[in-house]
Amino acid sequence: MAGFVKIHCPHCKGELDVEADWLGLKGQCPYCETKFVMSLDAETLSEETLPAEEVPVGWDEGAAEEWVAEEPVAEEEFLEVADDAVGNYREENAVRKFIGGFLDKKWLVGGVAGIAVLPSVLIVAIVCIFVRQGGSITESASVEPFQNQKAVEAYQNQKWEELFALADKADKDDPRIQCIIGVCFGCGYGVKKDYSEAEKWFRKAAEQGDVEGQYKLALFHMHGKGVKINHAEAVKWFRKAAEQGHADAQYSLGDCYCKGLGVAKDDQEAVKWFRKAADQNHAKAQLDLGACYFIGAGVNKDLREAVYWSRKAADQGEVKAQSALAMCYTSGIGVEKDLVEAVKWFRKAADQGEVEAQWMLGCWYGTGHIVKQDEREAVKWLRKAAEQGHAQAQLKIGLCYVTGVGVLKDEAEAVNWFRKAADQGDAEAQFELYSCYAKGNGVDKNDREALKWLRKAAEQGNAEAQCMLGCWYGTGHIVKEDGREAEKWLRRAAEQGHCQAQFMLGLCYLNGEIIAKNPVEAVKWLRKAAEQGNESAKELLVDILKGQ
């Protein structure tokens, strides 16, 4: 009897069809072109041809011969007899793993690595059972355990190109493999990205109690990947994984309690789970546990304990913890004030791209506060923060280009940075952009654009812009003259302590030209301006008093 069976090439692991008969297997791999012959002739293949050190422990040739002599039996019975035959080879996955290893390893590869064979009767038994039943060696005596381990190793080593191919051939009832297939679909490794399919595989693993599957399934429900957002379902799976000691799940569960996502907000429960994860050295949990101690959420406020946990997170490279620790040393919160330590931790955070730390270093180098003044170093850190969208840093960089501090003067570049900050709603940048359009600095002069940005800044409470807009309405410059609008904007600026606005408002009440005359209000606002050193206000007050 002859036929073809599917096996995996012992060299490249490719799947191929080989001719099989009662004497053995023979073929050539179409992928790596390895030629091999597996001779099963009992006369030429005897126990004596097998090196002594490679004879399987517990070999019972008699049992195998007895089995071969009988009529065909069920596969289960064959495996039972074969189990006895291979003895200690059942350490990991019974005889299937042994057979899989036999087929996958370079045994019996024509003359390449020498010939090491199983005693003939067992090999004949192995081949016969599958030829009789018309089965496939890779299906019935599968290499799944071997493929499982290879897939796990590929996942651990981040060999994404081969991951899905290995996982697809492995035992799909293994929760590790189910989880890996979920990752493949979720990330598009070796297959088209499909969140719904990923969620399905994560659920399979999760329902078998696989902790990583439970955690990833929770994430999908938390963020709506492949399913509708369901915080309660996410909490359910976070809890299952957290109770198995999964640090990321413990942190995530604590975060849900902290924010009231899927559960009632409960700071004490949040602290409980943050602490469990923090005790496993989870950096974000340590950071958030420190924050709880800083503000007294779920625990008694304790600044020293806050610094303790922040330092643990900072030592692991948690950038926000590094920045927080720097602020503690800057202000002496929970630790003795130490500006050298503050600079050290701000630099660590800034080097990792933490935008607030970059902004702070830029300001310190610009003013010479704590560190030696260095305009170029200031611009370096301000630019890094500005390129991340930090509006104040964008404004500062723009001012550097206006004044030529740390860079060559460039009004057009200044406008570019002012606009970036202004578009984010920074009132001071909006006022600077108004000034550029009003004067034609770095852009063509444009009164409409100037008015647009001036109004935006004024509406956000920029006193300088409010004073200027009030003056425009008072004089009819660019806008139609309007006494009420003039009074409104001048008063808003004056009430913020803007000296020039106080003087102008007092003058308007004194003259009574665009608004109703009011000597009491005039004296009130002129006096406020005079107290701030406005000489014109002082002179007017003297004249008023003489007139009285």
Side-chain angles (χ1 to χ4, degrees):
M1 179 181 292
F4 285 86
V5 295
K6 290 183 182 296
I7 68 167
H8 285 81
C9 172
H11 180 63
C12 71
K13 306 297 185 291
E15 186 177 87
L16 62 151
D17 292 319
V18 296
E19 187 177 357
D21 58 25
W22 289 95
L23 296 179
L25 309 177
K26 60 182 178 180
Q28 180 175 3
C29 177
Y31 308 109
C32 66
E33 299 185 348
T34 297
K35 295 181 180 180
F36 53 88
V37 175
M38 297 183 183
S39 176
L40 306 178
D41 185 350
E43 293 183 1
T44 61
L45 190 64
S46 63
E47 185 177 343
E48 285 70 33
T49 65
L50 188 68
E53 65 272 19
E54 296 187 11
V55 176
V57 178
W59 173 260
D60 185 350
E61 186 168 351
E65 286 177 338
E66 181 180 353
W67 180 84
V68 172
E70 294 175 356
E71 293 298 315
V73 296
E75 180 184 358
E76 290 79 4
E77 187 175 344
F78 159 70
L79 292 175
E80 182 178 349
V81 175
D83 274 349
D84 294 334
V86 298
N88 292 346
Y89 271 73
R90 297 189 65 221
E91 285 183 1
E92 292 191 54
N93 283 290
V95 73
R96 289 182 182 274
K97 175 116 181 178
F98 176 67
I99 297 167
F102 169 75
L103 291 175
D104 279 335
K105 292 177 181 177
K106 294 180 180 178
W107 295 10
L108 309 174
V109 177
V112 177
I115 299 177
V117 297
L118 289 172
S120 59
V121 288
L122 181 58
I123 299 178
V124 171
I126 293 169
V127 175
C128 288
I129 190 70
F130 294 112
V131 173
R132 285 189 198 128
Q133 295 180 357
S136 163
I137 288 180
T138 57
E139 291 171 2
S140 300
S142 73
V143 295
E144 287 169 350
F146 177 76
Q147 294 290 359
N148 288 10
Q149 187 57 36
K150 294 291 286 184
V152 171
E153 289 174 2
Y155 177 68
Q156 292 171 340
N157 296 324
Q158 299 183 8
K159 295 181 178 179
W160 308 128
E161 291 182 3
E162 63 184 270
L163 179 60
F164 184 78
L166 287 166
D168 194 44
K169 295 176 182 177
D171 178 8
K172 295 183 179 61
D173 289 329
D174 184 332
R176 297 176 307 164
I177 300 304
Q178 292 168 343
C179 201
I180 288 174
I181 293 175
V183 171
C184 290
F185 277 110
C187 301
Y189 297 147
V191 67
K192 185 178 179 181
K193 186 181 288 188
D194 187 333
Y195 288 137
S196 295
E197 193 69 13
E199 191 272 345
K200 180 185 84 174
W201 286 101
F202 288 143
R203 183 174 294 279
K204 285 177 181 286
E207 288 174 346
Q208 289 196 67
D210 182 80
V211 66
E212 196 63 34
Q214 291 169 342
Y215 174 65
K216 285 183 167 57
L217 182 61
L219 288 178
F220 269 48
H221 281 281
M222 178 59 67
H223 302 294
K225 299 290 188 181
V227 290
K228 290 182 179 179
I229 289 177
N230 187 333
H231 293 154
E233 186 72 4
V235 167
K236 165 187 165 183
W237 291 107
F238 278 143
R239 190 182 304 282
K240 286 180 180 291
E243 288 172 348
Q244 292 195 65
H246 193 288
D248 285 331
Q250 291 170 339
Y251 169 71
S252 297
L253 185 57
D255 196 47
C256 289
Y257 275 112
C258 183
K259 298 173 181 175
L261 296 175
V263 288
K265 192 177 188 307
D266 188 329
D267 288 337
Q268 289 184 338
E269 276 294 299
V271 167
K272 165 188 164 182
W273 290 106
F274 285 154
R275 190 182 303 280
K276 285 180 180 289
D279 285 340
Q280 293 196 65
N281 225 25
H282 192 286
K284 288 188 181 298
Q286 292 168 340
L287 170 66
D288 284 4
L289 184 58
C292 290
Y293 277 109
F294 267 121
I295 62 176
V299 288
N300 292 327
K301 186 174 181 178
D302 187 332
L303 297 180
R304 290 190 177 278
E305 193 72 6
V307 169
Y308 169 80
W309 287 108
S310 296
R311 187 186 303 280
K312 279 188 168 292
D315 285 339
Q316 290 196 72
E318 176 56 48
V319 66
K320 290 189 180 299
Q322 292 172 339
S323 193
L325 194 57
M327 290 302 300
C328 290
Y329 278 113
T330 301
S331 306
I333 299 173
V335 289
E336 289 187 14
K337 187 174 181 179
D338 188 332
L339 299 181
V340 174
E341 279 292 296
V343 172
K344 164 189 160 183
W345 287 108
F346 269 135
R347 190 178 297 280
K348 284 180 179 288
D351 285 338
Q352 286 198 74
E354 210 285 313
V355 67
E356 288 298 331
Q358 292 171 339
W359 157 249
M360 189 65 71
L361 280 180
C363 291
W364 284 1
Y365 277 109
T367 61
H369 177 62
I370 301 178
V371 293
K372 184 179 178 180
Q373 188 172 15
D374 186 330
E375 292 174 352
R376 290 191 175 184
E377 193 71 6
V379 169
K380 164 190 161 182
W381 289 111
L382 289 173
R383 189 184 302 279
K384 286 179 180 291
E387 288 172 347
Q388 289 197 69
H390 193 286
Q392 289 177 291
Q394 291 169 339
L395 169 65
K396 287 283 188 184
I397 284 288
L399 291 173
C400 288
Y401 277 109
V402 169
T403 59
V405 173
V407 291
L408 295 175
K409 281 187 178 182
D410 188 333
E411 291 182 338
E413 190 66 10
V415 169
N416 173 49
W417 288 108
F418 288 151
R419 191 182 305 280
K420 288 178 183 292
D423 285 339
Q424 291 193 68
D426 187 276
E428 191 175 349
Q430 291 169 342
F431 182 76
E432 292 294 337
L433 198 54
Y434 136 76
S435 181
C436 292
Y437 277 110
K439 300 173 183 177
N441 294 337
V443 288
D444 293 335
K445 187 175 180 180
N446 188 322
D447 289 340
R448 283 181 177 274
E449 279 294 301
L451 177 60
K452 163 188 164 182
W453 291 109
L454 182 65
R455 189 181 298 280
K456 283 179 178 289
E459 288 172 346
Q460 288 202 78
N462 183 280
E464 196 74 28
Q466 291 170 338
C467 179
M468 185 61 67
L469 191 56
C471 291
W472 279 15
Y473 275 111
T475 61
H477 177 66
I478 299 180
V479 293
K480 184 179 179 181
E481 186 178 305
D482 188 326
R484 288 186 176 180
E485 282 292 298
E487 181 186 17
K488 179 182 85 173
W489 290 110
L490 287 172
R491 182 177 291 278
R492 288 186 181 184
E495 288 173 346
Q496 292 193 66
H498 192 280
C499 183
Q500 187 64 21
Q502 292 169 342
F503 172 71
M504 293 301 298
L505 186 59
L507 191 61
C508 288
Y509 281 123
L510 182 65
N511 296 332
E513 293 178 358
I514 60 172
I515 57 176
K517 191 171 184 177
N518 188 330
V520 174
E521 282 291 297
V523 170
K524 167 188 169 182
W525 289 108
L526 289 171
R527 180 172 285 119
K528 285 182 178 291
E531 288 171 353
Q532 291 198 66
N534 187 293
E535 295 298 325
S536 297
K538 292 178 183 179
E539 292 174 4
L540 280 176
L541 282 173
V542 170
D543 291 342
I544 291 171
L545 292 174
K546 284 181 180 179
Q548 291 178 347

